[in-house]
């Protein structure tokens, strides 16, 4: 239940705090006093989108906070656990802060949450029924939801929708595979040409780098051969060569080593260098002999590199590794094309089998719906008849769909006639605004019993009715309030007199501004408010007596 509501700096409200009680509460007030403002503020903590223009003029921030007792709600612990929010069944606080900059913040039990999370929880806590919601009665999907709710089809419908979603996935996958197969079959010849071209190229990892090094070597073969020969001559020439001079130095060092102790180390080092340089000269000479200019090999290397460069440019890649990866991808695509018919067949079989599962569950839904439809029509008719429609008749008509959808294999339409011999027609085509209001109230009463809604708010649902009918609508709301919290925003004294608790919305003016207020009425104040609703602005003793009698009569009845 809604325990309390706090509103600050919202529209015409500077600050408002109100406590709510169990049972049937009514909110009244003159037209324009601000009843819709309070409801608008409440909708913000239920996750509705907000406009910074809603902030009271001259203020930078507005706050709306509602405190709920959620002990009567089943299954909410999972929501709090999943969203890592503290779970307090007696004091669940929803808060919304709206800034003049347009930014908005939402909290559940002081934990920052998204607007979606706030809306998910708010939608479970309160059902706000307004005149606009009466239009739902003319909506075929709403009519079907009512039937399923009353028939207890929730688990079956949930199971059906899971299987239907799987069927849709298979159908989408089959279409995707079919489209892909058709596209690739159109490209098959080109794909095979590309693949064969790469395969016939016989590319190898690191081939490009090795060929480019060999090309560079072959292009400079004569230069390299000449320089190696020069190197050998510089080292090994008998006429001033480094090795010849080093050999003479070794001879001199040997003479020194015989008479000078430090000369032994010099001799060893010279001998080591002499041996190394002789080997180096020999290697340079051998390398020069091995290197030959090979124009045929150079032509082959350049032709091979040209092929690689052409393939890289064609496929917009830079390395042989990328070409090999592309070759692998093309091979896989060709293999997929070759096996696509088999894959399509497998998916078609899965789709057909899943369609069978969907149809079986749809048949179960249909049977349950058609079995319960007469009972729902009867219950609704019995509730509607006392509301000024003694000859009302209601039936539920079914229309088969060409294909099952997420709601099943049929649509349902509420047929209605308010006249004794009237022809049954869809509610949307025949019912007046007042009749729709009464029908919707009766449906809400049935739904409330079936789904155990803890809180429902009626926003002037009694528009278009008066007198005895209004009195009986008030009785229905009071009866609903025996098992749940019901709040009715009303302009009818017949309904206001039946509330266990009565709140009045009014405007208060001062020199600088106008503010909307809300206060709980007791005893004489309540009598005066009902009298005002009966007689208008001027209160007469007769109106006060009539109001007191209206209130007392209801108390005596109950």
């Amino acid at each position: 239940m809604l325990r309390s509501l706090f509103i600050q700096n919202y529209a015409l409200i500077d600050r408002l705090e109100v406590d709510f009680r169990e049972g049937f509460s009514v909110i009244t007030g003159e037209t324009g006093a601000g009843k819709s403002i309070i409801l608008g503020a409440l909708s913000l903590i239920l996750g509705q989108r907000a406009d910074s223009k809603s902030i009271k003029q001259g203020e930078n921030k507005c706050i709306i906070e509602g405190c709920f007792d959620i002990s009567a709600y089943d299954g909410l612990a999972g929501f709090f656990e999943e969203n890592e929010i503290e779970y307090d069944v007696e004091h669940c606080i929803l808060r919304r802060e709206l800034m003049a900059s347009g930014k908005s913040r939402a909290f559940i039990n002081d934990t920052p949450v998204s607007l979606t999370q706030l809306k998910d929880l708010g939608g479970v806590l309160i059902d706000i029924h307004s005149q606009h919601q009466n239009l739902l009665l003319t909506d075929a999907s709403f009519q079907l939801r009512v039937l399923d709710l009353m028939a207890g089809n929730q688990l079956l419908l949930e199971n059906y929708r899971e299987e239907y979603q799987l069927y849709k996935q298979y159908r989408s996958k089959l279409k995707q595979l079919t489209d892909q197969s058709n596209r690739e079959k159109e490209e098959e010849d080109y794909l095979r040409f590309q693949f064969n071209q790469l395969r016939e190229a016989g590319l190898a990892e690191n081939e490009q780098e090795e060929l480019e090094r060999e090309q560079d070597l072959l292009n400079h073969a004569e230069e390299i051969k000449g320089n190696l020969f020069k190197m050998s001559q510089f080292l090994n020439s008998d006429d001033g060569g480094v090795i010849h001079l080093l050999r003479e130095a070794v001879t001199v060092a040997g003479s020194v080593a015989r008479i000078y102790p430090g000369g032994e180390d010099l001799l060893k080092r010279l001998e080591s260098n002499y041996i190394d340089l002789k080997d180096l000269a020999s290697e340079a000479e051998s390398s020069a002999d091995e290197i030959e200019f090979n124009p045929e090999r150079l032509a082959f290397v350049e032709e091979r590199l040209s092929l690689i460069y052409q393939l890289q440019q064609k496929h917009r890649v830079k390395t042989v590794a990328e070409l090999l990866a592309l070759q692998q991808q093309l091979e896989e695509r060709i293999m997929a094309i070759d096996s696509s018919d088999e894959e399509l067949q497998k998916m078609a079989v899965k789709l057909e089998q899943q369609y069978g599962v969907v149809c079986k569950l749809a048949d179960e839904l249909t049977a349950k719906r058609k079995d319960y439809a007469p009972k729902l029509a009867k219950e609704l008719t019995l509730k509607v008849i006392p509301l000024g429609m003694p000859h009302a008749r209601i039936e539920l008509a079914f229309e088969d769909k060409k294909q099952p959808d997420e709601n099943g294999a049929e649509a349902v339409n509420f047929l209605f006639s308010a006249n004794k011999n009237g022809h049954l027609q869809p509610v949307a085509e025949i019912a007046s605004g007042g009749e729709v209001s009464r029908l919707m109230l009766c449906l809400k009463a049935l739904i409330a019993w079936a789904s155990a809604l803890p809180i429902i708010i009626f926003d002037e649902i009694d528009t278009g009715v008066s007198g005895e009918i209004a009195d009986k609508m008030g009785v229905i709301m009071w009866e609903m309030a025996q098992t749940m919290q019901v709040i009715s925003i009303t302009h009818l004294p017949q309904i206001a007199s039946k509330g266990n608790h009565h709140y009045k919305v009014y405007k208060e003016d001062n020199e600088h501004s106008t503010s909307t207020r809300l206060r709980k009425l007791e005893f004489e104040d309540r009598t005066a408010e009902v009298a005002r609703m009966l007689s208008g602005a001027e209160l007469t003793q007769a109106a006060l007596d009539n109001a007191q009698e209206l209130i007392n009569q209801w108390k005596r009845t109950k």
Side-chain angles (χ1 to χ4, degrees):
M1 62 169 283
L2 177 61
R3 285 181 174 272
S4 63
L5 182 65
F6 171 78
I7 305 171
Q8 184 176 34
N9 298 332
Y10 178 79
L12 294 178
I13 300 174
D14 50 10
R15 183 181 180 88
L16 184 152
E17 292 183 77
V18 59
D19 293 329
F20 289 98
R21 310 290 177 82
E22 293 180 352
F24 184 30
S25 297
V26 295
I27 299 176
T28 62
E30 295 180 2
T31 301
K35 298 187 292 293
S36 61
I37 293 176
I38 294 171
L39 199 60
L42 181 60
S43 70
L44 289 182
I45 59 171
L46 301 182
Q48 297 302 312
R49 296 204 170 273
D51 189 334
S52 59
K53 295 178 182 178
S54 301
I55 300 176
K56 186 175 176 64
Q57 189 173 2
E59 302 295 339
N60 295 320
K61 174 182 177 180
C62 79
I63 300 173
I64 300 95
E65 183 174 287
C67 180
F68 296 82
D69 180 336
I70 59 173
S71 56
Y73 296 76
D74 294 328
L76 279 185
F79 171 87
F80 286 83
E81 182 178 352
E82 181 181 343
N83 292 284
E84 298 181 349
I85 301 170
E86 180 184 356
Y87 184 46
D88 186 340
V89 295
E90 293 186 358
H91 295 89
C92 176
I93 299 174
L94 275 58
R95 186 169 81 254
R96 187 84 175 273
E97 298 179 358
L98 188 64
M99 273 63 76
S101 62
K103 293 183 178 180
S104 170
R105 297 194 300 173
F107 302 85
I108 299 175
N109 292 341
D110 290 328
T111 298
V113 295
S114 68
L115 201 58
T116 299
Q117 290 170 310
L118 192 69
K119 191 171 185 177
D120 288 344
L121 181 59
V124 176
L125 298 181
I126 297 182
D127 176 21
I128 297 180
H129 183 92
S130 62
Q131 296 178 57
H132 174 72
Q133 203 179 30
N134 286 338
L135 297 175
L136 285 173
L137 189 56
T138 64
D139 180 80
S141 61
F142 174 75
Q143 296 173 3
L144 195 59
R145 287 200 301 274
V146 169
L147 175 57
D148 282 328
L149 180 63
M150 296 301 297
N153 290 340
Q154 290 90 331
L155 291 178
L156 176 59
L157 184 59
E158 183 179 335
N159 188 21
Y160 168 82
R161 284 176 173 164
E162 288 177 358
E163 298 297 341
Y164 180 77
Q165 287 302 316
L166 186 57
Y167 164 74
K168 281 181 63 178
Q169 291 175 20
Y170 287 167
R171 187 175 62 187
S172 177
K173 182 65 174 178
L174 180 61
K175 184 180 185 304
Q176 180 185 342
L177 289 174
T178 302
D179 292 344
Q180 181 179 339
S181 176
N182 291 337
R183 284 195 305 271
E184 294 196 333
K185 283 184 177 179
E186 290 175 359
E187 301 175 6
E188 182 177 1
D189 290 342
Y190 182 58
L191 292 175
R192 290 189 184 277
F193 169 75
Q194 288 184 308
F195 171 71
N196 289 334
Q197 188 180 46
L198 289 171
R199 183 182 61 180
E200 290 167 4
L203 300 172
E205 197 80 42
N206 302 321
E207 178 182 8
Q208 181 178 353
E209 293 81 356
E210 293 173 1
L211 288 172
E212 287 173 341
R213 285 195 294 270
E214 186 177 0
Q215 180 190 41
D216 196 40
L217 177 64
L218 289 170
N219 278 328
H220 298 86
E222 294 294 336
E223 180 184 351
I224 295 169
K225 186 178 182 72
N227 286 332
L228 286 172
F229 180 75
K230 285 180 183 179
M231 187 189 306
S232 175
Q233 288 299 308
F234 286 146
L235 292 171
N236 210 20
S237 171
D238 292 335
D239 185 14
V242 173
I243 294 175
H244 176 72
L245 293 174
L246 191 58
R247 185 171 57 246
E248 291 182 358
V250 169
T251 301
V252 172
S255 299
V256 172
R258 285 194 295 272
I259 58 177
Y260 174 59
E264 185 68 31
D265 182 59
L266 292 174
L267 175 63
K268 289 181 180 179
R269 290 169 63 189
L270 284 170
E271 287 176 339
S272 176
N273 287 329
Y274 173 74
I275 295 170
D276 286 344
L277 287 175
K278 279 194 70 176
D279 289 343
L280 181 59
S282 177
E283 286 183 20
E285 186 176 355
S286 298
S287 295
D289 292 338
E290 291 174 0
I291 291 178
E292 293 182 4
F293 175 65
N294 188 340
E296 293 180 357
R297 178 63 184 175
L298 178 61
F300 170 80
V301 169
E302 289 182 337
E303 182 180 352
R304 184 70 179 165
L305 283 172
S306 177
L307 173 62
I308 292 173
Y309 295 151
Q310 288 174 7
L311 290 173
Q312 288 174 344
Q313 184 177 10
K314 176 180 178 180
H315 296 289
R316 298 180 182 179
V317 298
K318 296 181 179 180
T319 65
V320 170
E322 290 175 295
L323 288 173
L324 290 171
L326 177 61
Q327 179 181 333
Q328 178 66 26
Q329 292 171 12
L330 289 169
E331 184 176 17
E332 290 173 358
R333 289 180 67 182
I334 291 169
M335 291 174 63
I337 291 172
D338 292 340
S339 62
S340 62
D341 289 342
E342 181 181 352
E343 189 75 15
L344 285 171
Q345 183 61 33
K346 288 180 180 178
M347 184 52 65
V349 170
K350 288 180 69 174
L351 180 64
E352 184 178 359
Q353 291 173 343
Q354 187 61 26
Y355 184 70
V357 173
V358 168
C359 288
K360 182 179 179 182
L361 290 173
D363 289 343
E364 291 183 36
L365 262 178
T366 300
K368 283 181 171 282
R369 287 167 173 171
K370 290 185 175 180
D371 182 60
Y372 194 83
K375 184 178 179 181
L376 174 58
K378 182 178 179 181
E379 290 179 348
L380 187 55
T381 303
L382 290 175
K383 275 198 168 294
V384 165
I385 285 176
L387 300 182
M389 292 185 282
H391 303 297
R393 288 183 297 132
I394 299 171
E395 288 185 11
L396 275 64
F398 291 87
E399 181 181 351
D400 293 337
K401 299 172 183 175
K402 292 181 180 179
Q403 290 287 334
D405 61 20
E406 64 179 1
N407 292 318
E410 63 280 322
V412 66
N413 204 338
F414 281 49
L415 303 182
F416 172 75
S417 173
N419 302 316
K420 188 172 184 178
N421 297 313
H423 181 62
L424 286 168
Q425 296 182 56
V427 170
E429 298 176 12
I430 193 172
S432 66
E435 289 168 343
V436 169
S437 292
R438 283 172 273 173
L439 282 168
M440 200 61 182
L441 174 61
C442 294
L443 266 182
K444 283 287 183 177
L446 292 175
I447 292 171
W449 286 106
S451 59
L453 289 172
I455 309 171
I456 187 167
I457 297 177
F458 290 109
D459 180 21
E460 297 189 354
I461 191 177
D462 46 34
T463 299
V465 298
S466 60
E468 184 181 357
I469 296 173
D471 187 76
K472 290 179 178 177
M473 290 179 72
V475 171
I476 292 176
M477 294 183 198
W478 184 88
E479 289 175 343
M480 292 173 66
Q482 303 314 296
T483 57
M484 60 188 296
Q485 186 183 36
V486 177
I487 301 172
S488 176
I489 299 173
T490 182
H491 62 279
L492 296 179
Q494 293 88 345
I495 293 177
S497 65
K498 293 176 176 56
N500 302 113
H501 317 285
H502 193 151
Y503 301 83
K504 180 179 179 179
V505 179
Y506 61 98
K507 285 182 179 177
E508 186 173 85
D509 298 313
N510 58 38
E511 294 180 2
H512 306 290
S513 64
T514 299
S515 297
T516 292
R517 308 291 188 198
L518 176 68
R519 66 185 179 91
K520 192 172 186 297
L521 301 181
E522 303 289 351
F523 309 115
E524 292 85 357
D525 288 339
R526 183 178 184 189
T527 302
E529 176 65 8
V530 174
R532 182 195 62 77
M533 299 172 75
L534 285 167
S535 65
E538 184 179 351
L539 286 182
T540 64
Q541 187 59 46
L544 289 169
D545 293 341
N546 192 7
Q548 190 61 58
E549 176 59 25
L550 196 61
I551 295 171
N552 291 338
Q553 183 182 12
W554 176 248
K555 287 182 178 179
R556 287 195 298 269
T557 303
K558 298 303 172 186

